[in-house]
Amino acid sequence: MLKPMNENYFCKPMTSNTLQKKIFLETYGCQMNEYDSELVRSILKKENFEFVVDELAADIVMLNTCAIREHAHRKVYGRVHSIRHARGQERPVMIGILGCMATNLRQDLLEDRSLKIDFIAGPDSYKRLPQLIQEASCDGQKSYDVTLSEFETYSDVYPSRQEGGVNAWLAVMRGCNNFCTFCVVPYTRGRERSRSPENIVDEVRRLAAEGFKQVTLLGQNVNSYCYDDHDFAYLMDEVSKVENIERIRFSSPHPKDFPDRFLDLMVANPKICKHIHLPLQAGNNRILDMMNRTYTNEDFLNLVDKIRTKIPNVALTTDVIVGFPTETDGEFEDTLEIVTRARFDSAFIFKYSERHGTIASKEYPDDVTEEIKTERIMQLNKIQKEITYQKNLAHVGETQTVLLEPYPEAKNKNLMPGRTDGNILVILPQGPYKGGDMIKVRITAATPHALKGQSV
Ligand code: SAM
Ligand code: SF4
């Protein structure tokens, strides 16, 4: 149960009517965090809080944080200082930290006097936000709830999404049971739990009625979705039956959960995009074992072959971590080799970053120097960039179906972005079409980052 850290018996928290209610919410990290921010908006709007786009006009600033890599974590500390600095002494603002950093670093955040955080809510405590804000409204009082739940899926909250969008994120499960040794997710987001297929399909129907054309089903380990006897293939099939939803994507799966049944469904079902994000993490078997990834590099390449045999036009993307503890030059070369052999369409490459509470942080000293990590990331990026460029070039001359995206006002008005089925960005000239339209596009040129095209 919640216990304010500095109980101040003379201060009476403001009531719901007297509380200042303008909120500025900033989101860091993954798509799941974007989705969680939409949940937070929905929960607080019901309590008459108002969301503003001008940080200086806000009474409360909330940062929805990510604890996956050090980069994200440092950014949040810097941000808190800059928010306080921008206000000065005269215009105080309440600051709340939400998300994975909240669970992971609660004690540090509350005890750091220079940060002066007012309230903290972990990923399973967003329904308590109105109360936490109210309790923190007394000077000097702090409130927090970072309890992890075995049941919370927010299936009763309809996220407050931006109007006029084309793609909607939708979390079908939360948490993770895999305990990869480098990863903080099982500690910050708790155990795996899934929403019922009926509840998810209801939300997708509502999205279709609002004009969304694409849904991206999200989970930390999305293809281990399981509700009663229903697996991820069943769920995808049910979602694809919703009229007016043209495309379905999913992120992020684990390579261990790709039954043939699911791949066969991907082939047979035109609404399921032929794109799989398949995180490799490392190409050396000793490192994969230390990471507790439960597959070898041979298993991974066999899976890549199987996927490409069944779905010849599939786009495969990946995540790789360089500089995991004790990784030698030779072992890193195994990663270069597997990446070269797998020929991913694109890759996110990260330097290993020790995360508080993980198995790796307790058992393996972070002994690869920053210099070596930088060298390895540059080497791998160079190889992958060339592969991506070659793969993009191979699309020149093809005709692809492109789902157009809404285009922010400020950008080049003569151009329009869209995505292929394989999720590659395509830029084409403006024409008699708009965000949300699916059009045929002839690919005319390629760069390492995108394709160019003309509507046909
Ligand atoms: N569930 C997915 C899987 O099984 O691979 C990954 C989701 S994870 C939240 C996103 C990516 O962040 C991972 O694939 C990994 O490459 C990267 N990542 C996670 N922990 C990391 C760490 N401690 N250091 C560097 N990168 C990390
Ligand atoms: Fe983290 Fe993904 Fe491993 Fe789960 S499966 S522990 S989210 S890397």
Side-chain angles (χ1 to χ4, degrees):
M1 262 292 93
L2 175 97
K3 274 216 168 68
M5 295 282 288
N6 283 327
E7 234 167 309
N8 176 346
Y9 296 99
F10 303 105
C11 172
K12 208 161 150 236
M14 290 184 197
T15 65
S16 183
N17 292 335
T18 53
L19 202 59
Q20 303 293 304
K21 288 190 158 179
K22 285 193 179 142
I23 297 181
F24 178 80
L25 171 61
E26 196 164 273
T27 309
Y28 294 78
C30 63
Q31 299 149 353
M32 185 65 107
N33 259 14
E34 294 287 346
Y35 176 82
D36 279 1
S37 284
E38 291 167 354
L39 290 174
V40 166
R41 277 195 198 96
S42 171
I43 290 164
L44 288 170
K45 276 181 179 175
K46 273 212 181 97
E47 299 296 319
N48 299 323
F49 286 88
E50 182 193 344
F51 284 82
V52 296
V53 288
D54 177 4
E55 178 192 322
L56 292 175
D59 309 303
I60 304 164
V61 174
M62 301 196 304
L63 305 180
N64 188 4
T65 62
C66 166
I68 293 282
R69 288 173 293 276
E70 194 171 20
H71 181 59
H73 159 173
R74 276 213 222 118
K75 234 164 135 180
V76 167
Y77 273 81
R79 221 15 217 120
V80 172
H81 285 296
S82 81
I83 294 163
R84 293 260 180 244
H85 184 73
R87 296 297 182 119
Q89 300 287 335
E90 308 77 47
R91 298 187 53 224
V93 62
M94 212 188 253
I95 298 186
I97 300 289
L98 321 183
C100 291
M101 246 180 88
T103 335
N104 197 223
L105 298 172
R106 171 187 50 113
Q107 208 59 30
D108 291 2
L109 288 168
L110 287 175
E111 284 173 4
D112 190 326
R113 284 172 185 272
S114 70
L115 288 176
K116 296 195 217 114
I117 303 301
D118 296 284
F119 62 95
I120 293 184
D124 291 343
S125 309
Y126 297 146
K127 287 181 187 163
R128 291 205 59 223
L129 268 169
Q131 194 187 336
L132 291 173
I133 294 172
Q134 206 169 323
E135 282 169 352
S137 66
C138 281
D139 259 0
Q141 218 172 77
K142 295 170 189 282
S143 59
Y144 66 87
D145 188 353
V146 294
T147 320
L148 289 176
S149 159
E150 286 180 28
F151 307 103
E152 183 60 87
T153 58
Y154 296 102
S155 56
D156 53 343
V157 179
Y158 187 73
S160 171
R161 299 181 171 91
Q162 210 172 3
E163 276 175 32
V166 169
N167 172 69
W169 312 114
L170 199 167
V172 299
M173 52 92 70
R174 296 177 78 86
C176 182
N177 292 349
N178 286 343
F179 290 92
C180 299
T181 58
F182 54 80
C183 185
V184 82
V185 166
Y187 309 93
T188 58
R189 289 188 168 265
R191 298 289 73 75
E192 267 177 31
R193 61 227 112 105
S194 299
R195 289 168 60 180
S196 77
E198 296 78 25
N199 178 258
I200 293 164
V201 169
D202 274 353
E203 185 166 334
V204 177
R205 283 204 195 98
R206 215 165 143 180
L207 290 168
E210 286 172 18
F212 286 92
K213 297 291 179 209
Q214 174 177 291
V215 280
T216 304
L217 306 188
L218 298 178
Q220 300 300 335
N221 188 17
V222 71
N223 52 341
S224 73
Y225 172 91
C226 180
Y227 191 91
D228 291 342
D229 289 338
H230 300 313
D231 64 2
F232 191 55
Y234 173 86
L235 177 70
M236 287 289 264
D237 201 28
E238 288 301 297
V239 167
S240 73
K241 292 176 190 160
V242 176
E243 267 179 53
N244 297 325
I245 290 294
E246 311 274 1
R247 280 182 170 177
I248 305 159
R249 299 188 185 277
F250 58 98
S251 185
S252 260
H254 189 292
K256 74 178 170 53
D257 295 315
F258 273 101
D260 285 356
R261 200 169 100 74
F262 179 71
L263 295 175
D264 293 339
L265 175 75
M266 277 189 80
V267 178
N269 193 319
K271 284 192 183 180
I272 303 177
C273 290
K274 311 297 177 262
H275 168 216
I276 300 179
H277 185 70
L278 198 64
L280 167 67
Q281 310 300 4
N284 173 269
N285 285 341
R286 189 183 71 89
I287 299 293
L288 282 170
D289 187 42
M290 282 176 78
M291 285 177 163
N292 190 30
R293 288 296 288 180
T294 70
Y295 51 82
T296 62
N297 54 19
E298 295 85 1
D299 297 335
F300 189 91
L301 286 178
N302 287 339
L303 178 61
V304 166
D305 281 349
K306 184 164 92 172
I307 293 172
R308 288 214 170 106
T309 307
K310 278 187 182 281
I311 320 171
N313 56 344
V314 72
L316 290 180
T317 55
T318 199
D319 291 342
V320 181
I321 298 175
V322 300
F324 187 79
T326 73
E327 184 188 64
T328 63
D329 286 345
E331 288 168 336
F332 170 64
E333 275 164 27
D334 288 346
T335 300
L336 292 180
E337 188 192 328
I338 302 297
V339 167
T340 309
R341 284 171 63 183
R343 291 186 63 75
F344 299 107
D345 291 74
S346 65
F348 295 105
I349 303 166
F350 309 109
K351 291 180 192 174
Y352 170 72
S353 156
E354 189 175 274
R355 303 286 74 201
H356 178 70
T358 58
I359 298 165
S361 75
K362 291 176 190 152
E363 296 188 2
Y364 313 130
D366 183 9
D367 59 359
V368 178
T369 64
E370 188 58 26
E371 206 183 347
I372 293 177
K373 285 179 189 169
T374 305
E375 222 171 83
R376 289 183 186 165
I377 205 170
M378 281 167 61
Q379 225 179 320
L380 193 51
N381 265 325
K382 191 169 166 213
I383 288 178
Q384 182 56 50
K385 193 172 167 191
E386 184 55 32
I387 296 171
T388 301
Y389 186 36
Q390 293 303 328
K391 292 209 123 189
N392 282 356
L393 278 175
H395 291 297
V396 175
E398 289 176 356
T399 297
Q400 294 255 359
T401 306
V402 169
L403 176 60
L404 296 174
E405 293 177 353
Y407 208 34
E409 281 297 307
K411 300 241 174 119
N412 188 337
K413 287 207 166 59
N414 302 320
L415 299 173
M416 185 99 201
R419 296 260 163 192
T420 66
D421 190 274
N423 208 28
I424 307 175
L425 177 67
V426 183
I427 305 290
L428 59 153
Q430 278 282 8
Y433 30 74
K434 58 185 185 321
D437 288 350
M438 293 258 273
I439 62 169
K440 294 280 180 201
V441 172
R442 192 167 52 81
I443 306 302
T444 54
T447 71
H449 309 288
L451 303 174
K452 289 181 186 164
Q454 295 277 350
S455 88
V456 290

